[in-house]
Amino acid sequence: MNGMSSTNKGIARIVAVSTVAALTLGMAACTAGTTGEPASSSGPAVTIGQAPSQDVVDLYTDRDTAVAAAVAALPQFIEKALKQTGVPGAGVAVVSNGKVVFEEGYGVRDVTTKEPVDVKTVFQIASLSKPLSSSVAAKAITEDADLSWEDPVVKYLPDFALKDPYVTEHGKIADFFSHRTGIPTGGGDDLEDIGFDVDYIMARMNQIPLASFRDTYQYSNFGLTVGGQAVAASRGQTWAQTAHELLFEPLGMTSTTTVHDEYLAADDRAAMHARTGEGKYEQLFDRDADAEAPAGGVASTAGDIAKWMNMVLANGEVDGAEFIDPLVLAKTYSAHSITGGDAKNLTSRTSHYGFGTNVGATVTGRVNISHSGAFGWGTATNATMIPDLNLGIVVLTNGAPSGVPEAVVAEFVDLVQFGEETRPWLDLWPTVFADFADPAGDLVGEKPPTGAAAAGPAGDYVGTYTSPYFGKFVVTEENGTLTGALGPEGGYTFKIDPWNGDMLSFVPTGENALPGSLSSAVFVRKDGQITGVTLTYFNKFPGPGQEPHGLGVFTRAG
């Protein structure tokens, strides 16, 4: 880039001035005391770090007392959160100064059996898998001097390709773990929803239109999965083998797996619960996330996640010995992508993403490492660590996302820092997740238009249609009823109903199409013959304002 807009120049100047001012203030404060001591005896108390960027606002009391009081308040708040939202159960653990100081189960594993959650209950943790996977990759790099975050994935996956040859050639493991390849949010998720495995999905990612390379943040399950697969391929292993050998087994995470069948085989496991109404959860679905295992396929217990958090908070040490090179691990928790912030409001703080994790700061200025996980079919999780306090908390739940993990974590962090709640978190966070149970599709809430044209004879639509991305779409007819079939061996099926002429309707299902979804199947008729169809739900990514990508357009083959 040869130039800069006046707006960007202004922002750059403000950032530069703010940085200098912050450094100046920090250096002035350094003269007031030594490391770890308050900066002054008046005004807000500030503890001085080794550098100005490590200065933080003091806790309301000494650290150990603050943590103990927050831990003591946890049970009542967790029980209140479950009762208020209807989420069936939760597993919660807290680590402090290298020890597990809290580990409890609440509620039930399954609303039908009423079996209670305990400390051994295994939950699907969804996208909380991502920071675990970054630790797996960091351990692999620690063990292999020839492996690096900076390696292009094609070094280990020579047949893999994206739509842009330049990105294919230059996309690094680091790019895939930090969501900066340009793979759009939702890219590949649609193939997973209809049953395709990771090999099929990765082989077709070369058809997905990309956003700007290393210039935009596009949260991508299958982008991160590609990075994980490259790490596993460097070892000649599957991802499941790599994760178990490098992280789960050494840390004693005996209840943790990336294989869905192993989760199902666990005697003490939390069933998924979809949200079917205000405060209502039902056990309706089973979510097999094997295709995106590095990004969302882990199942674990709160206690196992606590073991991992203690390793991270110890800078990669386990039992006082180096387990992961601290410099390699530090890269996973450094800011690599900008994920949020309001350019029109310079009082808003910018948020960042590392390798598989969010990197931010608490109100008191402490680095905050966190990630949530969610499946619309019935799980929600969060783990948050504050290295400055050597403190971490994990909350696993078996209900579709309603903000419970985030509310519990926010309450706990508030209590540690201030001794009281700063916001009504249990009222705030559920509103953030209110639309997570919404149905999907262009016809949701609609009815066929008054005076709608009749559909053609059922036989007009019967046939095989093909898409380079989705493969075969087969329409069959029985007793005048049309059925569509997609996916491996046509296993993803749905009824096709009249709507308006050659625009028919169908109900998509899956992780991204919750109950109540409805979309159009727009058949193309030329010279009286049906020549193709667009399945609208499958023809665009779910992000607002995104243009249809054309992958859901099928041509009649027979």
Side-chain angles (χ1 to χ4, degrees), residues 361-381:
T362 70
V363 176
T364 59
R366 292 174 167 84
V367 173
N368 181 3
I369 299 167
S370 68
H371 211 290
S372 289
F375 286 150
W377 276 6
T379 195
T381 63

Side-chain angles (χ1 to χ4, degrees), residues 515-553:
S517 296
L518 186 66
S519 187
S520 61
V522 183
F523 287 85
V524 177
R525 188 181 294 271
K526 184 176 182 181
D527 298 328
Q529 302 293 317
I530 298 297
T531 60
V533 60
T534 296
L535 300 179
T536 305
Y537 171 76
F538 292 108
N539 197 43
K540 64 181 182 67
F541 294 115
Q546 292 178 334
E547 292 296 321
H549 49 56
L551 300 179
V553 177

